[in-house]
Amino acid sequence: MRNRQSLTMSFLVGCILIAAPLVAQAGGTIKGKVTFTGEVPPPKEFAFSKFPNEAFCKKNESKSADGETRLLKEVEVDGSKGLKHAVVAVTDIKDKAFLDKADKEAPQLVEAELCEFRPYTGVAVSKGLFKVVNNDADPSDPKSAEGVLHNPHSFDQLGAKSSTEFNIGLAKKGDSLEKSVKLKMSKKGSVLRLQCDQHEFMQGWYLPVTNGHYGVAGADGTFEIKDVPAGKHKVVAWHPIAGQVEADVDVKDGGTVEANFEIK
């Protein structure tokens, strides 16, 4: 009897071991690189002296050699033309669970840090929440010891057309806003643009998405998007200044597909 039980258990374990590889994976991965082969525009220049909190904002590393001018590098590439800050997103999936969650919890957090909106690019959701936090304070300045005033002003931007989404001052360090953005023009291709009304050089851009399958390229232009449902998908590589390109990508369960994008 004992031998029969042992044989039965061995058979069952063998079946489990054989069957395991047949279980479907959660999805696949899209990875690759975004390059920019066009002419990189020079950084925009802003004299620190024309804006509040001059001494504090000069602590930001993006400035001229003499430290008197803030440099806004809108397009950044490395030696291999890798495009930093490009957003790569699957565009043909409308994920209801993701959209419902975005209505309760902002999928994008932007932080005001050393007079800069970080990250410079990211995502937004039409009719979803968008969050901005002020991390700046200047203990050396009695007027700004509790906080450097930033005024995040956001726009639904489509070419030259724009409409305000929110315009709220954050006076103290730790102050935050979490507002729903309508992005009524997003179906026509609009994006969310963010600018500080106190410091014009504080800018950010955010691509509307309808699912969580997106990634932002690093300093070398590379990106990775995991857990993408298997199948053929439309994917966009977007940069607010450099431009955008699209591609068709075929994702396999448990596999990795390479997708490289060239913006000219």
Side-chain angles (χ1 to χ4, degrees), residues 53-250:
N53 312 101
E54 177 182 353
F56 178 80
C57 291
K58 283 182 177 180
K59 294 179 181 180
N60 193 293
E61 294 182 354
S62 186
K63 57 191 173 186
S64 59
D66 63 6
E68 298 302 317
T69 304
R70 172 63 189 275
L71 302 179
L72 177 58
K73 300 175 183 177
E74 295 183 300
V75 179
E76 295 185 69
V77 299
D78 72 353
S80 65
K81 301 293 185 180
L83 180 60
K84 185 179 181 180
H85 298 308
V87 179
V88 183
V90 176
T91 60
D92 61 350
I93 297 175
K94 190 171 183 178
D95 186 337
K96 186 177 184 303
F98 172 82
L99 296 175
D100 288 345
K101 184 178 180 181
D103 194 31
K104 305 175 181 66
E105 178 183 336
Q108 180 68 65
L109 168 64
V110 176
E111 298 179 272
E113 187 86 38
L114 290 179
C115 300
E116 179 180 355
F117 284 135
R118 301 176 181 174
Y120 175 62
T121 60
V123 299
V125 174
S126 179
K127 300 180 182 178
L129 294 172
F130 194 88
K131 186 173 184 178
V132 184
V133 177
N134 185 3
N135 292 335
D136 284 344
D138 186 2
S140 66
D141 180 2
K143 294 182 180 179
S144 302
E146 293 187 3
V148 172
L149 173 62
H150 293 307
N151 199 123
H153 189 172
S154 70
F155 304 86
D156 183 15
Q157 189 83 36
L158 179 62
K161 295 176 61 178
S162 67
S163 61
T164 292
E165 290 287 346
F166 58 76
N167 184 5
I168 300 172
L170 302 177
K172 296 181 179 180
K173 181 177 181 178
D175 282 356
S176 65
L177 65 86
E178 194 167 26
K179 288 291 184 180
S180 177
V181 289
K182 296 180 181 179
L183 300 175
K184 292 181 179 179
M185 296 187 291
S186 62
K187 291 183 179 180
K188 296 181 180 179
S190 72
V191 298
L192 188 145
R193 178 171 69 87
L194 187 65
Q195 182 170 307
C196 177
D197 282 350
Q198 293 291 309
H199 308 93
E200 187 182 350
F201 44 78
M202 294 179 64
Q203 299 181 18
W205 299 82
Y206 308 91
L207 177 72
V209 296
T210 56
N211 61 75
H213 308 301
Y214 58 83
V216 180
D220 61 354
T222 61
F223 69 92
E224 183 176 62
I225 309 172
K226 296 182 177 180
D227 302 323
V228 180
K232 295 181 178 180
H233 297 292
K234 296 284 186 182
V235 182
V236 64
W238 166 85
H239 186 281
I241 309 302
Q244 72 176 49
V245 292
E246 296 181 350
D248 294 317
V249 176
D250 192 359

